[in-house]
Amino acid sequence: MRGSNGNAFFKGKKPLPAENPAPGAAEKYTLGTGMIQVLMTLAALLFAAPVFIILNYSFKTVRELYLSNPLALPESFQLGNYISAFKKLDLLTTFTNTFIYTAVTVVVLVMLCGASSWAIARCKNRFFKFSYIYFLLGIFIPHQALFLQIYMIGFRTGLINTRLGVILMYIATGMSFGVFLMTSFMTTVPVELEEAAKIDGCSVYRTYFFIVLPLLKPAIATLTILQAFQIWNDYLMASLFISSQELRTLTLAMQMLFSQQSSDYTTAMAAIIISVLPVAILFISMQKYFVKGMTVGALKG
Amino acid sequence: MTRMLIGGLMIMALIGTSLAWGAPRKTTVTILAGLSSTDDGMQEIITKAVAAKYPGITLQWEALGWSDNFHPKMQQYIQTGLPDIIVGKAQDVATYGGQGLLADLKGKKYLTRVLDAAIPGVTIKGKTYGLVYNCLYQGVYYNRKIFAENGLKVPITHAELAKVIGTLKAKGITPFATHMVDTWSIGNMTMQFAINDVFSKTPTWGDQFRAGKVSFATSAAYKKCYEYNKLLFDNTWSRETFSLPQADCDARMVQGLAAMKVSGSWSIQNFMNVDPNFDFGVFPFPNQTGDAKLIFEPNMTWMKSARTKHSAQVDQVFDVLTSDKKAAIAFLNLTKTSSMLKGVSPTFPNPSQKDIDKYAAAGKLIDANSGNNQLQWGGFQDENAKDIASWLQGTMTLKQALEAADSRRAISKP
Amino acid sequence: MRRKSFNRREKLQYLSLVLPGLLLFTIGLILPMFLSFSYSLTSWDGMSAAKPFIGFKNYARFFTDPFAGQAWIFTFKFTFWNTIIQNVFALLFAIALNSAIKGKKIYRTVFFIPCLISAIIVGFIWLRMFINILPALNRFLGTNINFLLFGSGKTVLAGLLLANNWQWIGYWMLIYLAALQSIPGELYEAANIDGATTLGKFRHITIPLLAPAFTICIVGITTGSLKVYELLVTSTWGGPGRASTSIIYYIYNTAISGRQYGYGSAMSIVLVLVLFLVALVQLGFLRKKEVQL
């Protein structure tokens, strides 16, 4: 209860930087603006073209793919590729798994990164400064080159082929960026509010959960989107930790379709569309917060 | 925010319960399968066949691409323990068999159902580590229609091949279909050439190479094998080949845009996907002495972990593989490959079968492992292929490419 | 006295907030890094039980390995051009989307969607674009533009830059856009009263206030590009020949298919140091600029 009060109080006092009227917004729609509009439309068409081409391919048959003009529309909108992708990818299982890994990792990661960053921002002694730099080190470590070691640590700890193992690994590799992002946000969290809470007798944990975390919404949205699409698309970590069919992710199921000798391109195209859709929807639905989050991050980063 | 928390906890609980699922009731046999894309889908056939005969066995598959992902996965498992069954290629026996990781199958009944020709390639120091399930034929696949229309005969010597190329070029037909964006195809072609020009003459060439007795830079025969790549490159769509993936190349071949392709049975599935009536044959790429043999490659190979806890069940799976002929035929028809089991032949129409039978009857077949067991693929042959690509692209000289192979001598042993 | 002990308890509580993350991070990423260093001193093949100690020989070898040199050159070229192209276009797009044009949300979404796609798929898409789609466009338009960018060592960099920028421009654009939108409008109004030109406003208000965003984008793009790997595994496979072999691609290939895990580990240690150094130098330089402005 106290938390939500605090939140309301804060909201009234100091609004977060919104998508405020940009300098241009006040300006009129001039000839110059019209030209920009045309140029942007052209650029957008170029950017969207590959996506449309995949979509177009995803309805073609193998014969059409090779024998007809690549630019032509499919002869009929048959859904065979989607059905075969659905079967080949074992979609029900892989989709659920990928969703669980992504959702749990993001939730836990947000909590942990928020907690670490807050502590780092508030306690300015040597240890916390050191841990900030220490976390940042992770940004420079290419984990592709460490795959045997990561696997062996997973094995020693008994986490291979478990959901928990995959999730913990994602958290471990996502910490660096998360702390980097969240720490830059902490300047937007006013210390006064926390001090007021402290005087009221709030513990550090209570303050974190009910006062600090709600203020971090834009940062949370940003981190959520950025991490979600990375985990959703990850191949390497999943392939290290998972071998059983029931635990497979979407990308693991997809990899056969993209191997060197692969020829089942039409199914692959349908699979791409299926796999991109959820993250695209996530982005579109969280866009508002995301851009806000980016605003603060970019300014204070 | 509280809602988010509760949501998080609920998801955690969900994982908790899902972790508890899947406690095995029956015996679960784990299989790591390194597959070519032509093999994908075969898991279903095998699973069904095993379930029919041994309902107490559940197969747990982990299927991945052989060329890109199989070896890294094996490296992981070597650190911690292999799955019960490993499905790879016959050449993997040379890589993993010597390290005590695989079980000896010698004396098992199922091994007697496999063609005798498939045994030596997977036998090391008297121990047989693999059950070879099917085989591929490698050579020059050619468009019969184009050959017939232009009065061309299958070339046996290089002079004859030059004539064929000349005639095709005069008619405006691209002689060779090639795809070099994936360097493995260069590696594969070079090995095909080397089998007939190097390893058929000197079976221990690789051992001599490591002993320092021969080298790429000084071997006239191996130099020739490198040069054949240039011959192909000069007689193909050389502007496009380094952009072209395999499936597109095969499709062009079917459309009659080129007359020949140095390839293997893995192209058949692609041919037939595009045009089920495509008429093609196969012949060995001519060698210097005009006695080239058609290459057969024992392909999918089933291996048993030396430390499996389910030894009896693995044997039962292997028993099903070799005794269930219906499943075997379904598998061969799916993959469009040839059998390595006695008395089993696929029933899909294969226009190149009559050529294969002809070479087989004349005793003109040679095992691809004669080369693959002498020179390691990963790290050696595929690196050589990159040198060849660089040479064709003009960023390396032929001499440098050959010397680069010599510099990798230490890691050439399979 | 009482106050102090309270502080100490509080500090412990703060400590407990950092520790779980710190622990996971250490076990999952730093520990493997240390293991990597210990392997780098051996000639381990990645499979057998024996890990013969050979000291710093792997490091010495790295500096004389011509293929590693090639890989570094490719990686640096890729990084250099990426940093320039991505920053310029991201900024231009952001400025355009910050003007009075209509349908901003649609543009934003269109530009951002490619970075939601896994780099492995992006590579695959562009391989198909270059060999199928764009040549068909040539035939359609009757032109003869060379679209086979992956097919030659001379153009493969351009092709990969195209694919990579298609994927990431929208991402960095959002950061610039966010930064632009947080510039207070009053600043521009004041400048208008002073009779400043559009260019003058851009030069004296926009650019200085974008400084933090520049820092993020430049460092982000540089370190990201130096680690390029996934994009290559379904598009060029590091070829033709070795023309597009990045340093990580080379490390992975040497350590795994090449069965030289020790040598591969040594290279990854060097890579981490290089990444760290580049970021430090850039940060030092850019932060200094921020202060000056």
Side-chain angles (χ1 to χ4, degrees):
Chain A
M1 267 304 111
R2 182 184 284 274
S4 59
N5 279 340
N7 196 8
F9 162 76
F10 180 74
K11 257 186 190 156
K13 196 150 188 193
K14 188 186 166 194
L16 282 164
E19 280 184 82
N20 60 18
E27 290 165 21
K28 275 184 220 123
Y29 198 93
T30 60
L31 187 71
T33 329
M35 269 168 64
I36 295 176
Q37 184 103 45
V38 172
L39 281 175
M40 280 293 100
T41 310
L42 277 175
L45 283 176
L46 284 178
F47 265 72
V51 179
F52 280 112
I53 283 158
I54 303 166
L55 195 66
N56 190 26
Y57 266 163
S58 72
F59 293 107
K60 291 190 175 186
T61 62
V62 177
R63 279 177 61 82
E64 271 181 275
L65 177 72
Y66 293 114
L67 302 182
S68 75
N69 184 342
L71 299 174
L73 288 174
E75 281 158 21
S76 68
F77 280 90
Q78 50 94 22
L79 292 173
N81 298 325
Y82 284 89
I83 295 167
S84 114
F86 199 87
K87 263 199 244 155
K88 268 201 174 168
L89 301 182
D90 191 7
L91 211 59
L92 233 49
T93 313
T94 53
F95 211 90
T96 320
N97 285 334
T98 317
F99 180 77
I100 292 176
Y101 303 146
T102 309
V104 177
T105 305
V106 168
V107 170
V108 179
L109 194 66
V110 160
M111 302 278 176
L112 284 182
C113 290
S116 303
S117 314
W118 184 54
I120 286 168
R122 290 297 171 263
C123 302
K124 299 214 157 117
N125 74 19
R126 247 195 226 148
F127 172 77
F128 288 95
K129 267 187 192 153
F130 165 78
S131 27
Y132 180 61
I133 306 274
Y134 182 68
F135 272 127
L136 289 198
L137 265 178
I139 294 180
F140 308 108
I141 298 180
H143 56 255
Q144 296 100 325
L146 302 175
F147 91 114
L148 263 190
Q149 292 92 310
I150 295 181
Y151 173 77
M152 283 192 274
I153 286 169
F155 182 78
R156 295 274 150 75
T157 47
L159 291 169
I160 290 300
N161 224 0
T162 63
R163 290 179 204 275
L164 188 68
V166 189
I167 290 165
L168 288 180
M169 220 53 238
Y170 282 139
I171 295 172
T173 47
M175 281 305 291
S176 293
F177 182 75
V179 168
F180 172 68
L181 188 92
M182 291 275 198
T183 312
S184 62
F185 264 82
M186 285 304 158
T187 40
T188 66
V189 180
V191 189
E192 303 86 48
L193 215 60
E194 290 163 32
E195 274 164 2
K198 199 157 84 180
I199 291 163
D200 285 358
C202 264
S203 73
V204 166
Y205 307 113
R206 256 184 102 93
T207 315
Y208 172 62
F209 276 111
F210 294 108
I211 296 181
V212 179
L213 217 45
L215 294 178
L216 288 174
K217 244 188 214 163
I220 290 173
T222 309
L223 192 61
T224 300
I225 292 183
L226 295 184
Q227 288 297 329
F229 78 75
Q230 259 174 31
I231 297 167
W232 189 268
N233 286 327
D234 171 75
Y235 172 76
L236 193 84
M237 284 293 154
S239 80
L240 281 181
F241 274 76
I242 295 163
S243 55
S244 85
Q245 291 234 292
E246 304 94 78
L247 300 180
R248 271 194 316 170
T249 65
L250 205 53
T251 38
L252 281 185
M254 273 170 85
Q255 55 90 18
M256 281 293 287
L257 300 173
F258 295 99
S259 76
Q260 284 190 16
Q261 289 119 303
S262 176
S263 58
D264 201 354
Y265 291 144
T266 49
T267 309
M269 299 290 179
I272 294 175
I273 299 287
I274 294 174
S275 73
V276 171
L277 223 50
V279 266
I281 291 171
L282 180 77
F283 170 71
I284 291 167
S285 60
M286 287 180 87
Q287 214 190 91
K288 202 177 81 191
Y289 291 111
F290 182 60
V291 175
K292 260 188 215 167
M294 285 283 208
T295 312
V296 185
L299 207 67
K300 308 288 181 194
Chain B
M1 206 32 65
T2 337
R3 244 184 299 159
M4 254 177 97
L5 259 175
I6 295 171
L9 289 174
M10 273 172 65
I11 295 170
M12 301 269 238
L14 204 78
I15 321 167
T17 42
S18 48
L19 283 173
W21 296 334
R25 282 180 210 100
K26 304 196 283 184
T27 309
T28 303
V29 173
T30 51
I31 305 178
L32 171 67
L35 305 177
S36 305
S37 58
T38 46
D39 301 328
D40 197 26
M42 70 96 179
Q43 299 97 300
E44 220 171 297
I45 298 169
I46 307 297
T47 304
K48 260 192 205 155
V50 170
K53 194 163 178 190
Y54 298 106
I57 299 177
T58 311
L59 298 182
Q60 194 186 74
W61 294 88
E62 182 183 9
L64 30 78
W66 184 83
S67 54
D68 304 325
N69 304 318
F70 176 71
H71 188 70
K73 203 75 203 183
M74 278 302 280
Q75 264 188 324
Q76 282 176 40
Y77 282 135
I78 288 171
Q79 302 307 317
T80 56
L82 294 178
D84 302 316
I85 296 174
I86 302 103
V87 182
K89 295 197 184 294
Q91 68 202 66
D92 294 328
V93 166
T95 311
Y96 304 113
Q99 307 196 26
L101 300 162
L102 305 175
D104 184 10
L105 308 179
K106 197 141 220 173
K108 301 280 183 189
K109 194 169 173 234
Y110 46 75
L111 218 52
T112 60
R113 303 186 193 123
V114 177
L115 290 177
D116 300 334
I119 305 292
V122 289
T123 302
I124 301 174
K125 292 181 189 154
K127 288 183 175 161
T128 306
Y129 293 112
L131 170 74
V132 184
Y133 198 46
N134 71 346
C135 97
L136 307 167
Y137 286 94
Q138 303 186 21
V140 184
Y141 283 77
Y142 66 100
N143 184 324
R144 281 193 207 273
K145 202 170 144 227
I146 293 180
F147 266 56
E149 280 171 2
N150 297 290
L152 296 173
K153 261 186 20 202
V154 165
I156 295 168
T157 63
H158 268 271
E160 288 171 16
L161 180 65
K163 250 174 78 186
V164 169
I165 293 173
T167 313
L168 287 167
K169 274 187 133 171
K171 294 270 169 83
I173 302 167
T174 307
F176 286 104
T178 59
H179 55 95
M180 297 184 179
V181 63
D182 38 19
T183 25
W184 72 268
S185 70
I186 298 179
N188 170 264
M189 293 192 297
T190 311
M191 192 37 127
Q192 285 199 30
F193 307 148
I195 284 170
N196 273 314
D197 260 322
V198 178
F199 297 103
S200 73
K201 320 280 182 214
T202 320
T204 56
W205 198 89
D207 296 329
Q208 295 184 18
F209 170 59
R210 280 177 290 277
K213 287 180 194 144
V214 292
S215 77
F216 279 71
T218 57
S219 158
Y222 230 116
K223 190 173 167 210
K224 268 275 175 271
C225 298
Y226 271 45
E227 282 168 348
Y228 296 148
N229 282 292
K230 180 91 171 98
L231 176 76
L232 260 65
F233 186 66
D234 290 338
N235 292 292
T236 185
W237 34 66
S238 50
R239 203 169 146 249
E240 284 162 285
T241 184
F242 277 103
S243 289
L244 204 65
Q246 188 205 327
D248 297 73
C249 174
D250 291 346
R252 287 178 176 215
M253 172 91 186
V254 174
Q255 291 172 70
L257 297 176
M260 298 177 278
K261 184 183 179 223
V262 180
S263 190
S265 306
W266 51 82
S267 285
I268 298 178
Q269 203 182 44
N270 287 348
F271 290 159
M272 295 196 158
N273 275 343
V274 180
D275 181 2
N277 301 317
F278 179 55
D279 193 10
F280 58 91
V282 63
F283 62 86
F285 189 86
N287 65 352
Q288 289 302 297
T289 41
D291 57 356
K293 294 174 178 170
L294 192 66
I295 298 164
F296 77 97
E297 184 190 6
N299 184 39
M300 182 182 283
T301 299
W302 294 67
M303 294 162 265
K304 177 179 171 181
S305 163
R307 290 198 193 84
T308 173
K309 285 183 190 124
H310 309 296
S311 182
Q313 283 85 353
V314 173
D315 285 336
Q316 284 171 339
V317 172
F318 286 4
D319 171 60
V320 173
L321 279 175
T322 48
S323 61
D324 190 333
K325 291 191 179 178
K326 249 171 86 183
I329 291 168
F331 167 82
L332 297 168
N333 287 346
L334 172 82
T335 55
K336 306 278 186 275
T337 51
S338 306
S339 178
M340 274 277 124
L341 298 179
K342 289 173 185 161
V344 176
S345 305
T347 52
F348 73 95
N350 179 357
S352 59
Q353 191 62 44
K354 41 188 175 225
D355 290 333
I356 295 170
D357 294 342
K358 193 181 79 193
Y359 289 105
K364 285 190 154 187
L365 290 183
I366 185 165
D367 190 339
N369 286 319
S370 60
N372 284 333
N373 288 350
Q374 285 289 311
L375 296 178
Q376 165 68 14
W377 171 256
F380 189 75
Q381 287 187 54
D382 65 349
E383 289 298 321
N384 293 353
K386 287 178 193 167
D387 297 331
I388 295 171
S390 303
W391 166 49
L392 295 179
Q393 287 260 328
T395 53
M396 233 182 185
T397 64
L398 175 57
K399 192 163 168 270
Q400 284 171 331
L402 290 162
E403 282 167 355
D406 290 333
S407 75
R408 279 185 289 270
R409 197 176 250 134
I411 49 166
S412 66
K413 188 163 176 52
Chain C
M1 197 62 198
R2 235 186 117 202
R3 220 181 117 80
K4 206 176 176 187
S5 74
F6 178 77
N7 264 344
R8 219 183 126 198
R9 208 192 71 190
E10 214 180 41
K11 258 204 187 116
L12 277 178
Q13 285 180 334
Y14 277 122
L15 198 67
S16 70
L17 287 177
V18 187
L19 280 182
L22 214 57
L23 197 72
L24 270 177
F25 174 72
T26 307
I27 296 175
L29 215 58
I30 301 294
L31 192 60
M33 200 63 220
F34 273 100
L35 281 173
S36 205
F37 180 69
S38 72
Y39 294 152
S40 76
L41 305 176
T42 69
S43 61
W44 188 37
D45 62 3
M47 296 195 293
S48 46
K51 298 188 180 83
F53 181 83
I54 55 162
F56 284 88
K57 270 192 193 142
N58 282 326
Y59 290 89
R61 180 178 158 200
F62 184 45
F63 290 101
T64 53
D65 180 347
F67 295 138
Q70 260 182 34
W72 275 119
I73 290 171
F74 169 78
T75 312
F76 280 130
K77 274 189 193 161
F78 181 79
T79 305
F80 175 78
W81 288 113
N82 253 331
T83 311
I84 290 179
I85 299 170
Q86 255 166 68
N87 271 301
V88 168
F89 277 92
L91 184 59
L92 284 179
F93 282 13
I95 291 169
L97 290 198
N98 199 39
S99 72
I101 63 165
K102 303 220 167 7
K104 287 177 194 166
K105 260 189 195 154
I106 300 172
Y107 292 116
R108 205 160 65 189
T109 311
V110 168
F111 293 139
F112 193 76
I113 292 270
C115 86
L116 299 175
I117 303 172
S118 144
I120 289 185
I121 294 173
V122 170
F124 172 81
I125 292 173
W126 282 91
L127 179 65
R128 309 238 50 88
M129 289 292 286
F130 290 138
I131 189 67
N132 294 121
I133 312 293
L134 295 173
L137 201 68
N138 250 345
R139 286 196 293 277
F140 180 70
L141 298 172
T143 51
N144 190 23
I145 306 165
N146 177 23
F147 285 121
L148 301 168
L149 298 183
F150 288 162
S152 149
K154 292 187 190 82
T155 54
V156 68
L157 178 66
L160 288 167
L161 284 173
L162 204 62
N164 191 263
N165 282 290
W166 175 73
Q167 188 180 12
W168 291 109
I169 282 175
Y171 179 83
W172 303 110
M173 175 199 78
L174 275 191
I175 292 187
Y176 279 124
L177 186 61
L180 281 173
Q181 288 181 347
S182 58
I183 297 175
E186 303 93 59
L187 280 180
Y188 290 99
E189 278 158 32
N192 281 341
I193 293 165
D194 292 346
T197 60
T198 313
L199 206 68
K201 278 185 283 183
F202 187 71
R203 166 104 177 66
H204 295 291
I205 302 174
T206 316
I207 295 274
L209 285 172
L210 280 184
F214 278 128
T215 310
I216 287 197
C217 292
I218 290 173
V219 177
I221 295 171
T222 315
T223 47
S225 306
L226 284 173
K227 290 197 278 185
V228 62
Y229 171 73
E230 269 96 349
L231 180 65
L232 307 172
V233 300
T234 45
S235 58
T236 64
W237 292 281
R242 294 182 184 83
S244 64
T245 299
S246 75
I247 193 67
I248 291 204
Y249 194 93
Y250 186 66
I251 292 175
Y252 194 79
N253 216 28
T254 312
I256 290 124
S257 341
R259 296 179 298 171
Q260 301 167 72
Y261 209 87
Y263 183 40
S265 300
M267 289 195 281
S268 44
I269 297 284
V270 175
L271 175 64
V272 171
L273 290 178
V274 168
L275 277 163
F276 195 57
L277 237 117
V278 168
L280 269 187
V281 169
Q282 278 186 337
L283 273 176
F285 179 76
L286 291 165
R287 288 281 188 226
K288 219 197 255 161
K289 276 263 186 269
E290 274 176 36
V291 176
Q292 277 175 3
L293 291 161

